C-alpha cells in the first residue's frame, strides 16, 4: 500500500484500522451515505492517526476533498484535486495520496493541502480531522464504485462520454471498451469518448467499439461539445477548441443548438491517408480496387482518419455487412479504412452508407460525410456545398479553399454509472 503522508509531520502508523472487504486492513471503511463530519455520499471516512502521519486507503482511483470541523463551522474544500489555492488560507501542510493494487496495476496519486490557518485549527490536526474520499474505480467489483458517464448520439452514431480531466488515466482500459459498447450486455455504443485537459487545452480521445483508437470522429466531436456544455464548461463566445488525434479542432455552437465543426483541410496524398493504391506523393482518385470478386472505383481521402469513397448507383442495394469488412481490412490500406458508399441524388445532395473502421455499419459518420463531399468534388459529381443523407439523418458539408465545415446535431440520451 501507498500511505497518506503529511509533509512536516513525523510519519507514524495508523492507530485505527478497519478490515477491508477483500481481507485487507486499510484505515478506510466503506460507507453507503453521509458520515460524521459530512463525508461524501458513496464515499467514506479515512481515519488518520492522531499525529496525521500516515493512513492507508482501499480504493483504486480516488478524488479527494478535505473537511475539518472547527467549533460549529465545517470548512469544505472544492472537489478539484491538485487545484492550487483550493483552500483560501493554506499553510505548508500538503498531502499526497495514492494507492496501487495488483489487479489494477496503475497508480492514482493526488496532492491536496489542508487549511490550517489558526492555531486552534492547527491543534485540531492532532485531534480529529476528517478526510472524505469519493472513489472512482475502473469496474464494479470488490465494492469499488463505478465510472460516471453520459451517452450522446449524433444522427444515431452513439457514444459513451467520460470526463477524465481530474484523472491521471482514462478510467477504463481500451480492452474494456468492447464490453461497454456491447448492445446486449453493455451500455451500447459505437465508441467511448474521453474528455481530458492538458495545459489549458481540452483533449478528445475516442476508443472504438472494438477497442482500437480513432484519430478523429465528426459526430463524436459534436457530442463532445454538448457534453462540455452539460459539464458547465463555457465556450469562448460560441466556440470550443479541442485537441484531437488529427489536430486542433474548433467547434461552434449555433443559435439553433446545432454544432458546426472546422474539420480542417482534407489530406489527399497517398502517404497521408495512408494507402498503397498509388505512389506516396500522388492522389488516389477513381482508382480501381478489386474487392469481393468485382472491381470498384475508389477515391481515398483523409480527414485525419482514412476514408475510401465509392460511388454506386443504389446504396440501398448493397450488402454492407458482407463487403464492408473486406474494404476495411484491404491490404491497400495499412491502417485499415472507413468506407463510404455514395449515391449522387443531385449536385448538392448525396446519399451515403458507411462501414466504419472499428465500429462496422453505423447510422452516420461525420468525417465520412466530409470525405464524401471532397471525393464528389474531385470527381466532378457535386458542388462544394452539399447535404449528405445518412441513415440517421442529414449533415451539411461545405468545402471551401481552406477547410471542410460540418454542421449537424448532437443529442443527449441518458446518464449513468458503470
Amino acid at each position: 500500500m501507498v500511505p497518506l503522508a503529511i509533509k512536516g509531520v513525523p510519519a507514524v502508523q495508523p492507530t485505527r484500522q478497519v478490515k477491508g472487504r477483500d481481507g485487507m486492513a486499510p484505515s478506510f471503511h466503506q460507507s453507503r451515505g453521509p458520515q460524521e463530519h459530512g463525508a461524501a455520499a458513496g464515499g467514506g471516512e479515512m481515519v488518520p492517526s492522531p499525529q496525521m502521519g500516515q493512513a492507508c486507503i482501499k480504493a483504486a482511483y480516488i478524488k479527494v476533498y478535505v473537511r475539518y470541523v472547527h467549533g460549529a463551522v465545517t470548512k469544505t474544500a472544492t472537489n478539484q484535486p491538485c487545484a492550487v489555492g483550493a483552500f483560501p488560507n493554506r499553510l505548508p501542510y500538503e498531502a499526497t495520496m495514492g494507492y496501487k493494487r495488483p489487479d489494477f496495476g496503475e497508480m492514482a496519486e493526488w496532492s491536496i493541502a489542508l487549511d490550517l490557518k489558526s492555531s486552534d485549527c492547527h491543534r485540531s490536526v492532532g485531534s480529529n480531522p476528517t478526510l472524505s474520499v469519493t472513489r472512482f474505480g475502473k469496474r464494479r467489483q470488490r465494492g469499488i464504485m463505478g465510472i460516471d458517464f453520459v451517452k450522446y448520439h449524433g444522427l444515431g452514431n452513439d457514444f459513451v462520454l467520460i470526463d477524465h480531466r481530474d484523472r491521471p488515466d482514462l478510467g477504463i482500459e481500451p480492452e474494456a471498451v468492447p464490453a461497454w459498447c456491447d448492445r446486449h450486455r453493455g451500455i451500447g455504443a459505437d465508441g467511448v469518448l474521453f474528455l481530458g485537459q492538458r495545459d489549458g487545452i481540452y483533449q478528445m480521445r475516442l476508443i472504438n467499439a472494438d477497442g482500437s483508437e480513432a484519430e478523429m470522429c465528426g459526430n463524436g466531436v459534436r457530442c463532445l461539445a454538448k457534453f462540455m456544455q452539460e459539464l458547465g464548461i463555457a465556450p469562448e463566445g460560441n466556440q470550443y477548441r479541442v485537441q484531437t488525434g488529427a489536430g486542433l479542432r474548433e467547434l461552434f455552437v449555433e443559435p439553433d443548438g446545432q454544432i458546426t465543426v472546422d474539420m480542417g483541410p482534407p489530406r489527399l496524398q497517398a502517404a497521408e491517408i495512408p494507402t498503397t493504391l498509388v505512389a506516396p506523393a500522388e492522389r488516389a482518385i477513381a482508382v480501381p480496387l478489386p474487392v469481393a470478386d468485382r472491381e470498384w472505383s475508389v477515391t481515398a481521402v483523409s480527414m485525419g482518419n482514412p476514408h475510401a469513397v465509392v460511388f454506386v448507383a443504389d446504396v440501398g442495394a448493397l450488402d454492407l455487412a458482407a463487403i464492408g469488412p473486406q474494404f476495411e481490412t484491404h491490404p491497400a490500406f495499412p491502417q485499415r479504412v472507413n468506407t463510404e458508399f455514395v449515391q449522387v441524388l443531385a449536385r448538392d445532395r448525396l446519399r451515403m452508407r458507411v462501414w466504419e473502421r472499428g465500429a462496422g455499419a453505423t447510422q452516420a459518420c461525420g468525417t465520412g460525410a466530409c470525405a464524401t463531399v471532397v471525393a464528389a468534388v474531385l470527381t466532378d459529381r457535386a458542388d462544394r456545398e452539399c447535404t449528405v443523407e445518412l441513415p440517421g439523418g442529414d449533415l451539411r458539408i461545405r468545402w471551401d479553399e481552406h477547410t471542410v465545415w460540418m454542421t449537424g446535431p448532437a443529442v443527449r440520451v441518458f446518464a449513468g454509472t458503470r
Side-chain angles (χ1 to χ4, degrees):
M1 282 192 178
V2 177
L4 175 78
I6 306 296
K7 294 180 181 178
V9 180
V12 297
Q13 294 299 318
T15 57
R16 285 181 58 188
Q17 291 196 338
V18 180
K19 188 173 183 179
R21 291 188 176 185
D22 53 1
M24 303 173 74
S27 58
F28 172 94
H29 63 78
Q30 179 81 9
S31 68
R32 297 187 177 275
Q35 302 291 323
E36 184 181 7
H37 307 309
E45 289 184 326
M46 179 185 298
V47 185
S49 66
Q51 291 82 11
M52 277 294 285
Q54 293 185 348
C56 295
I57 62 171
K58 176 192 173 185
Y61 293 94
I62 53 175
K63 181 185 286 187
V64 179
Y65 62 94
V66 177
R67 294 182 180 185
Y68 67 91
V69 176
H70 181 212
V73 179
T74 299
K75 301 278 188 177
T76 305
T78 60
N79 61 344
Q80 306 250 339
C82 307
V84 176
F87 294 84
N89 301 296
R90 50 183 275 184
L91 289 180
Y93 284 83
E94 297 180 355
T96 299
M97 181 178 297
Y99 180 71
K100 186 171 184 178
R101 239 169 107 148
D103 54 337
F104 287 92
E106 294 185 23
M107 171 70 73
E109 186 172 276
W110 302 106
S111 293
I112 57 176
L114 300 177
D115 180 4
L116 305 174
K117 180 180 178 181
S118 70
S119 58
D120 289 340
C121 290
H122 192 165
R123 285 195 295 272
S124 76
V125 172
S127 56
N128 191 26
T130 298
L131 296 180
S132 299
V133 181
T134 302
R135 300 176 299 126
F136 293 82
K138 283 188 177 179
R139 41 191 179 268
R140 186 183 296 275
Q141 64 181 37
R142 298 189 181 183
I144 297 171
M145 293 177 64
I147 302 289
D148 294 332
F149 69 88
V150 183
K151 182 173 176 177
Y152 280 83
H153 78 86
L155 300 180
N157 193 192
D158 54 347
F159 304 93
V160 173
L161 285 95
I162 295 173
D163 177 9
H164 81 109
R165 290 172 296 159
D166 291 338
R167 301 177 57 91
D169 64 345
L170 293 179
I172 61 174
E173 296 292 345
E175 294 80 8
V177 168
W180 282 59
C181 294
D182 189 295
R183 296 192 181 276
H184 300 287
R185 298 177 177 85
I187 300 165
D190 294 321
V192 178
L193 276 167
F194 299 89
L195 171 65
Q197 189 173 15
R198 181 181 299 172
D199 299 327
I201 302 295
Y202 294 104
Q203 314 272 329
M204 181 186 89
R205 288 186 65 184
L206 168 60
I207 308 298
N208 290 317
D210 70 349
S212 62
E213 185 163 358
E215 302 91 341
M216 176 57 184
C217 177
N219 291 318
V221 80
R222 295 199 317 276
C223 291
L224 190 77
K226 288 289 190 178
F227 184 48
M228 292 169 75
Q229 285 186 304
E230 179 176 342
L231 293 173
I233 301 172
E236 297 181 8
N238 70 330
Q239 178 183 353
Y240 291 108
R241 301 174 78 237
V242 176
Q243 185 70 40
T244 73
L248 192 66
R249 294 292 181 260
E250 295 181 342
L251 324 175
F252 301 87
V253 182
E254 302 293 349
D256 63 358
Q258 296 202 86
I259 307 296
T260 294
V261 183
D262 179 352
M263 299 290 287
R267 301 170 190 172
L268 302 174
Q269 289 187 350
E272 298 176 305
I273 290 166
T275 182
T276 60
L277 285 172
V278 294
E282 294 181 1
R283 296 181 175 187
I285 300 175
V287 177
L289 180 69
V291 176
D293 300 324
R294 62 167 286 189
E295 193 171 87
W296 308 77
S297 179
V298 173
T299 298
V301 178
S302 173
M303 293 302 307
N305 54 353
H307 293 270
V309 182
V310 181
F311 292 95
V312 297
D314 181 6
V315 294
L318 293 172
D319 186 352
L320 192 59
I323 62 173
Q326 297 183 60
F327 273 91
E328 178 186 357
T329 59
H330 196 283
F333 297 95
Q335 294 181 11
R336 298 189 295 166
V337 72
N338 304 283
T339 308
E340 288 75 37
F341 299 92
V342 184
Q343 178 181 348
V344 178
L345 304 178
R347 289 196 66 87
D348 64 349
R349 196 165 194 90
L350 308 172
R351 181 174 295 159
M352 184 189 103
R353 293 177 68 191
V354 60
W355 183 270
E356 290 199 54
R357 179 186 59 166
T362 62
Q363 292 290 297
C365 177
T367 56
C370 295
T372 289
V373 172
V374 170
V377 172
L378 291 174
T379 57
D380 196 26
R381 286 179 166 90
D383 299 329
R384 284 180 172 265
E385 187 166 352
C386 293
T387 297
V388 180
E389 294 182 7
L390 304 114
D394 294 351
L395 288 174
R396 292 292 301 169
I397 308 296
R398 177 169 57 90
W399 180 23
D400 63 26
E401 60 185 41
H402 301 295
T403 192
V404 180
W405 299 90
M406 174 191 63
T407 300
V411 179
R412 186 184 193 272
V413 183
F414 62 84
T417 302
R418 176 180 166 90

